[in-house]
Amino acid sequence: MTATCGVPAPTRRLRLGTIDRPQTHDPRNQAPMITPTKEPVGSATPDVTIIGANDSRQNRTREMQLIPEAMARAHMRDRLREAQEDRRSARLITARRMQRRAERASLRARRALAMAVMH
C-alpha cells in the first residue's frame, strides 16, 4: 500500500517485549508464563544470570521477592520475644504479690499466737 506521494506507508513490525520493557502492560495481552518441564514447580534452583543483565534484573531476583517474607518472619520473632518478656514480667509481678500476701498472713498468725499466749 502506498501513500499519495509515492512513499510506501510504514508497515507495522512485530515488536517483541523484554522483561524491562514489555510490549504491553495489560496482563491479558501478555504471553503466558511457561514453566519448564524439567524443573518442578516451586523448586529452589538458582536464577540464571547473564553478565551485563544484572543491572536490569536487580529488582527481579528471588532475594528481592523474598524480602517481605523475611521481614514478616523477623516481625513475628520480635512479637514472640515481646510476648515472652510480658509473660515473664507478669509471672514476676504475681510472685511478688503472692510473697507479700504470705508475709501478711505470717504476721497475722504471729499476732494471733502472741495474743493467745498472753491471755
Side-chain angles (χ1 to χ4, degrees), residues 74-85:
H75 186 72
M76 286 303 296
R77 194 169 31 246
D78 289 345
R79 297 293 84 76
L80 284 171
R81 184 179 48 76
E82 287 176 8
Q84 288 172 349
E85 288 176 3

Side-chain angles (χ1 to χ4, degrees), residues 13-113:
R13 291 187 307 160
L14 177 66
R15 218 174 79 183
L16 296 177
T18 62
I19 290 175
D20 294 326
R21 297 176 195 267
Q23 185 174 358
T24 176
H25 291 287
D26 187 7
R28 291 174 293 185
N29 294 337
Q30 291 177 355
M33 291 185 65
I34 301 168
T35 56
T37 56
K38 64 182 179 191
E39 179 180 334
V41 176
S43 67
T45 57
D47 284 332
V48 177
T49 57
I50 301 169
I51 298 172
N54 289 336
D55 293 338
S56 66
R57 293 191 56 197
Q58 69 182 355
N59 60 352
R60 286 181 170 79
T61 60
R62 275 202 189 131
E63 291 82 12
M64 291 290 285
Q65 292 173 0
L66 294 178
I67 283 176
E69 190 176 329
M71 287 178 65
R73 273 197 217 100
H75 186 72
M76 286 303 296
R77 194 169 31 246
D78 289 345
R79 297 293 84 76
L80 284 171
R81 184 179 48 76
E82 287 176 8
Q84 288 172 349
E85 288 176 3
D86 289 346
R87 284 193 293 271
R88 193 177 304 131
S89 65
R91 282 195 301 262
L92 180 63
I93 290 170
T94 303
R96 285 183 179 161
R97 188 180 304 130
M98 297 292 281
Q99 182 181 6
R100 286 193 300 268
R101 189 178 297 169
E103 287 172 356
R104 285 195 303 268
S106 172
L107 284 175
R108 280 196 303 272
R110 286 175 75 185
R111 271 194 225 110
L113 182 62

